[in-house]
Amino acid sequence: MSTLVIVESPTKARTIRNFLPSTYRVEASMGHVRDLPSSAEEIPEAVKGEKWAQLGVNVEADFEPLYVIPKDKKKIVKELKDALKEATELILATDEDREGESISWHLLQILKPKVPIKRMVFHEITREAIRDALTHCRDIDNRVVQAQETRRILDRLVGYTLSPLLWKKIAWGLSAGRVQSVAVRLLVRRERERRAFRQGSYWDLKALLEKGKISFDAKLVTVGNVKVANGSDFDENTGQIIAGRRVLLLNEEQARALLSRIQNKPWTVTNLEERPVTRKPSPPFTTSTLQQEANRKLRLGARETMRIAQSLYERGFITYMRTDSVHLSEQAIAAARTCVQELYGSEYLSPQPRKYTTKSKGAQEAHEAIRPAGSTFRTPQQTGLDGIDFRLYDLIWKRTVASQMADSRQTHVTVLTQVEDAGFRSSGKRIDFPGFLRAYVEGSDDPNAALEDQEVILPALKVGDKPNCKDLEAVGHETQPPARYTEASLVKMLESEGVGRPSTYASIIGTIVDRGYAKLIANALIPTFTAFAVTTLLETHFPDLVDTGFTSRMEQTLDEIATGEAKWLPYLQKFYTGDSGLATQVKEQESQIDAKVARTVVLENLSAKVCIGKFGAYLESESEEGLVKASIPQDLTPADLDPEKVDFLLKQKTEGPEKLGLHPETGEPIYVLIGSYGPYVQLGDVSETNKKPKRASLPKGTDKDSVTLDMAVSLLTLPRLLGAHPETGAKVQANLGMYGPYVVHDQGKVGKDYRSIKPPDDVLTIELDRALELLAQPKAARGRNSKAATPLKELGAHPESGEPINVYDGRYGPYVKHGDINASLSKDESVENFTLQRALELLATKEAAGGKTSSKSKKSTKTAAKSETATEKTAAKKTTAKKTETAAKKTTAKKTATATATKKKTK
C-alpha cells in the first residue's frame, strides 16, 4: 500500500518526507497547476473565436472561468498523474489558506483520482504536527474554493476590462487592478499633499541645565504664560499658524533678543510631576505586522520578507506565514513561557499566560500567529541559520517570547523651570522594571541598547531648586511635509482601511514598483507622473474602484462568500453586468475620455503642462516660437517639480544649455545639462559631424550649480585608464556608473571585475596601486543579503558564448543571468527544478524584447492588464483590442495551445 502526498514546493516536500513512513511518496505541484489563460497562445482552439475568450471568463454563462494548464506545468501534471497510478491513496497537503485550498481543488479536477482522497492541513512542519495532521484529515472546503475563485474572477474582470482603456488613453503597457489601483491612489494622494504643503518656520530656545553634576535639556514652551508655537501649530496648506490658535510665533530676531534678556538670569524649578506608565508587549506577528517590522528593522521589502518567511516555514523553523490571526496555541504559549523562565527568570514572566484574540472580522487565513515551530522553541543560535534567514527568525522568536513576558513599568517625569517670564520644560523617563523590553523593543534591533536610549535620567529635583544654565541657544525650525509611504506604512494603511488581504500585500507593492507606478528610493515609495495620470483618470471616471471604502466592502463580501453568508454569482453579476456594471461603465466612459487630457498631469503653480509620452513624462509649453517640449529627468519626483526646475528645463530646450567655459585643450565649449537620467556635462555641440558629443554624468549628490569648469574637464576624462593589471596585462579603469564610482579590471571576453570606490578615494584621482588593492578585496554583495552575489544555482555554460548561466536571488525574486541579460523566473517556477534549457528560453525572449534589463525588471512598459493577485501572470500578450490582434496572431500561428478548458464545478 502506498500513499501519494502532494504539496506546493520541493522544499516543503523534502521536509515532510523526513516525517512520514517510507510508504508515503511526497511530490510538489510547484504552486497552481491551472489558471486563467495569460496570453492568446494559451487559449484552446475550441474557444479561440469566442468574444469572451481573451477575458478568460465567460460572462454570458454564469461567469464560467476558462482554466488551462500553462505550458510550463504540463510536465509536472504528467509526473503527478504517473505517480498517482502507483498510489492507493491520495493526500492533498497544500497550504491551509484560500490559495492552498484552491490548488488542492484544481489538482483534484485534473488528476481525477480513482483512489481514496484526503485533505490534510497543518500550520507548521514538524514531526508532531505532520503526524497529527494525518489523523485529522478532512474534505476540501468548497466554500473556501469558491471564495478564491470569485476573487480571481473579480480581479481578472477589473484588470482585463480597465487596462485596455488605459492603453488607449494614456500609454501602452499600463494596468489597473482591484487593489493595486487603490494602493497607487494612496501614494498619489500623499504626493499631492506634499505638493500642496507650505513650509512654516519658527524659533525657540534650548537650554542645557545642570544640577548635582547631572546635565539635562530644557526647551522653551511659554513666554509670559503664552504658549510658544511649534510645528503642530502650523497649517500645512498655508505655512501659517492655524486660525484661532493662541500661540506666540517667534522669529530669529525675537528669539535672540529673548536669549540675551534671560542669558544670565537665575532659573527656578516651578513644578515637577511623576507619572507611572505600564506598557504591555505587542501580540505575536501576523503577516502584515511581520512585513511592517521587517521593513523597519531589517529594511526588507514585503516580497523579500515573505520569500524568506516561506523558506523558514517550509524548512520547519516557523509556523505558516500567511495569517491574520494573533492567536497562540496552548503549546506555543507553554514553549514561549519556558523560554522566558530559562533565559530571563521567573520575574520576567507574565503572571498569567497572555492570550491574544484577533479583532479583524476578515481574519481567515490561518488559525495561529507566526511563531517558531514546535512544542519547544529553538533559540536563534540553536537553529544553525545565518544571514538574513537568521535575522528574520530572530525577529519572530523575540516577538513571540516577549508576548508572554511581564509588563514594562516606567515613570515619566516632567520638570518645569522658569527664568524671568520664560517657561521651559524637561522630560525624563525612568525604567523601573524592563519586563518584555529585555527581549524585544518594537522598531529596534538591540533591546539592551534600546533600553538605554529610552531611559532619560533627570537629576533629583524639587520645586524651588535652582539649576545652573550651562548653555543656551536659539534654534530655528522648519515644518516638514507629510512623510511619503514606506512599504511598512503602506501595508499598515491598507490593513487599517480593510483593502486587500495581508497575504496579497507583498505582491501588490511589487506590482506597483514593477509596473512603473512608484519608485522605491531610500525606503520611500514615490509615485511617478504616470501614477498621477492613471489615478486622475480612475478618480474622474471610475471613482468607486479607487475608493478605499468601496474596495473594503468588496473584501468583506468576498470573506462572506467563504463563510456562505453571501452568494458569489449575484455579486459578480451586479458588479460587472447591468446598467451600472463595470462593463457598461467602461463602454460609456470610453467615448467621454479625451486621450490628450488623460495624458496630461495637472500640477498647480506650473507654467507648463506635464504630459505622459511613449518615453516617459515631459513638459509641454507654448512660447513665441511655438510648442516647446522638454523631457523630465527620471529622478525628479512630482512633489519636487517646482517652477524653477520647469523654467530651467524649458530654457535648456529653447535657449540651449548653460555653458561653463571652454575646454583648455580642445577649445570646445563645455555645457551643463539635465537629461532623462539627471544632470551631466557635455563637451562640444551636437552637429552633423559630431552627433554624439562626449558626456559624463555628475557624481550622485552633486548639484548642477556647484559644477566648475575644472570639475567638468576632469569628469570628461572618464573612464580614466589607470594602467595594466600586473597579472593579466588587461586594462584597469576608473569610471562613474549608475551605482556610483568604481574601478574595473577589463579582461574582454573573460569578463570584467568591478569594485566600488568609497570615500576618501576619488574616481578623479585614484591611482593604479590603490585600484589594485580594491580589486584584490573580496567582492561585496549588492543589496542587504551578503549571499546575494552567490548563485542560487549554476546551470552551466551558454552553448554559444561559453559564459556561465546562473540563477540569482534578486530584490524581486529569483532571476537567471547571462552576461548583461537578466530574466525573472515566473512565480510558479522553482529554482530547484529550473533547467538550462528553460533558462535559454527566458533569456532569448528577454533579448528579443529589448536586450539589457536588470533583474529589478523594466517590464512595466511591456506588460499590461494583469490582476494584482499573486497568481496572475503577465498579460502583455493579451489581445483585447484590434491594435494588438496582429501580434497575437503571429504568436498563435507558431504555437498551438494544447491546454484544454475544463468544466467549472457545480456552483
Side-chain angles (χ1 to χ4, degrees), residues 525-835:
L525 288 164
I526 305 174
T528 60
F529 291 100
T530 300
F532 269 67
V534 170
T535 296
T536 300
L537 185 150
L538 295 177
E539 285 176 330
T540 305
H541 299 280
F542 307 97
D544 280 351
L545 292 180
V546 286
D547 177 69
T548 53
F550 179 81
T551 308
S552 176
R553 289 191 294 275
M554 292 172 72
E555 294 290 355
Q556 291 174 15
T557 303
L558 290 170
D559 290 339
E560 289 166 0
I561 291 170
T563 60
E565 299 173 63
K567 301 296 183 182
W568 68 272
L569 184 56
Y571 179 69
L572 286 179
Q573 290 171 332
K574 180 180 179 182
F575 174 80
Y576 193 73
T577 59
D579 295 338
S580 59
L582 178 62
T584 305
Q585 288 185 52
V586 171
K587 287 179 182 177
E588 292 176 349
Q589 295 292 330
E590 184 172 348
S591 61
Q592 300 178 26
I593 300 173
D594 184 292
K596 178 62 178 175
V597 173
R599 285 193 287 266
T600 302
V601 179
V602 179
L603 300 176
E604 65 282 353
N605 304 323
L606 297 184
S607 60
K609 297 178 181 177
V610 175
C611 302
I612 306 300
K614 185 177 181 181
F615 302 105
Y618 64 92
L619 295 170
E620 189 176 275
S621 178
E622 292 286 350
S623 69
E624 295 179 358
E625 291 78 20
L627 192 65
V628 179
K629 297 181 180 180
S631 296
I632 298 175
Q634 292 188 6
D635 61 349
L636 188 56
T637 67
D640 297 329
L641 183 63
D642 55 30
E644 181 183 349
K645 293 184 178 70
V646 168
D647 291 343
F648 178 87
L649 292 169
L650 293 173
K651 183 179 178 182
Q652 176 179 287
K653 195 74 174 179
T654 56
E655 301 179 11
E658 177 184 342
K659 186 163 76 173
L660 282 174
L662 301 178
H663 194 284
E665 296 177 7
T666 68
E668 294 176 280
I670 296 178
Y671 303 103
V672 179
L673 302 97
I674 295 182
S676 297
Y677 298 98
Y680 64 94
V681 293
Q682 175 179 300
L683 177 62
D685 297 297
V686 178
S687 65
E688 284 296 321
T689 58
N690 188 24
K691 293 183 179 180
K692 292 185 177 180
K694 185 171 179 60
R695 294 170 176 170
S697 297
L698 300 189
K700 194 172 183 179
T702 303
D703 186 81
K704 66 177 182 61
D705 296 326
S706 66
V707 180
T708 63
L709 180 61
D710 289 343
M711 181 190 295
V713 170
S714 297
L715 288 171
L716 288 165
T717 65
L718 298 176
R720 292 174 55 226
L721 179 62
L722 305 182
H725 196 286
E727 296 178 6
T728 65
K731 61 184 178 183
V732 177
Q733 293 177 308
N735 202 358
L736 272 173
M738 67 180 297
Y739 296 107
Y742 64 89
V743 293
V744 58
H745 176 206
D746 186 355
Q747 298 184 70
K749 289 185 178 180
V750 176
K752 297 179 180 180
D753 193 17
Y754 296 88
R755 295 294 184 279
S756 295
I757 298 175
K758 304 290 185 184
D761 292 321
D762 190 320
V763 68
L764 300 177
T765 58
I766 193 169
E767 298 296 338
L768 178 62
D769 288 346
R770 177 56 180 157
L772 293 174
E773 289 179 13
L774 293 178
L775 290 166
Q777 295 175 4
K779 193 167 188 176
R782 183 177 296 156
R784 300 182 184 90
N785 188 352
S786 61
K787 293 182 178 179
T790 303
L792 296 176
K793 187 174 185 179
E794 297 180 359
L795 300 174
H798 193 284
E800 296 177 5
S801 69
E803 294 185 15
I805 298 178
N806 297 327
V807 180
Y808 293 90
D809 189 12
R811 181 179 183 84
Y812 298 99
Y815 67 95
V816 61
K817 180 177 180 64
H818 168 239
D820 291 331
I821 308 296
N822 297 344
S824 297
L825 277 65
S826 71
K827 175 185 176 295
D828 295 327
E829 289 182 300
S830 73
V831 175
E832 291 89 344
N833 291 340
F834 197 70
T835 64

Side-chain angles (χ1 to χ4, degrees), residues 96-99 101-102 105 119 138-152 364 557-568 905-907:
E96 60 180 323
D97 61 4
R98 288 174 183 165
E99 289 299 321
E101 203 74 15
S102 178
W105 181 82
R119 172 79 170 105
R138 59 169 173 80
D139 294 329
I140 289 175
D141 190 332
N142 284 319
R143 291 190 303 188
V144 174
V145 174
Q146 187 66 76
Q148 187 277 339
E149 186 172 74
T150 306
R151 185 183 296 269
R152 184 75 183 88
Q364 44 74 34
T557 303
L558 290 170
D559 290 339
E560 289 166 0
I561 291 170
T563 60
E565 299 173 63
K567 301 296 183 182
W568 68 272
K905 64 184 182 301
T906 302
K907 302 299 179 187

Side-chain angles (χ1 to χ4, degrees), residues 360-394:
S360 171
K361 179 186 175 184
Q364 44 74 34
E365 296 292 4
H367 68 274
E368 196 170 1
I370 303 170
R371 62 167 177 84
S375 56
T376 58
F377 292 169
R378 285 173 284 185
T379 66
Q381 292 72 24
Q382 292 171 337
T383 60
L385 295 168
D386 59 7
I388 199 63
D389 290 351
F390 175 89
R391 296 182 68 193
L392 191 66
Y393 178 86
D394 181 63

Side-chain angles (χ1 to χ4, degrees), residues 490-543:
L490 182 60
V491 166
K492 186 175 182 179
M493 174 60 77
L494 290 170
E495 186 176 40
S496 67
E497 293 289 337
V499 174
R501 283 292 171 258
S503 59
T504 66
Y505 292 153
S507 62
I508 291 165
I509 293 173
T511 297
I512 290 170
V513 175
D514 288 349
R515 307 253 181 100
Y517 288 124
K519 294 180 180 179
L520 188 58
I521 301 175
N523 207 37
L525 288 164
I526 305 174
T528 60
F529 291 100
T530 300
F532 269 67
V534 170
T535 296
T536 300
L537 185 150
L538 295 177
E539 285 176 330
T540 305
H541 299 280
F542 307 97

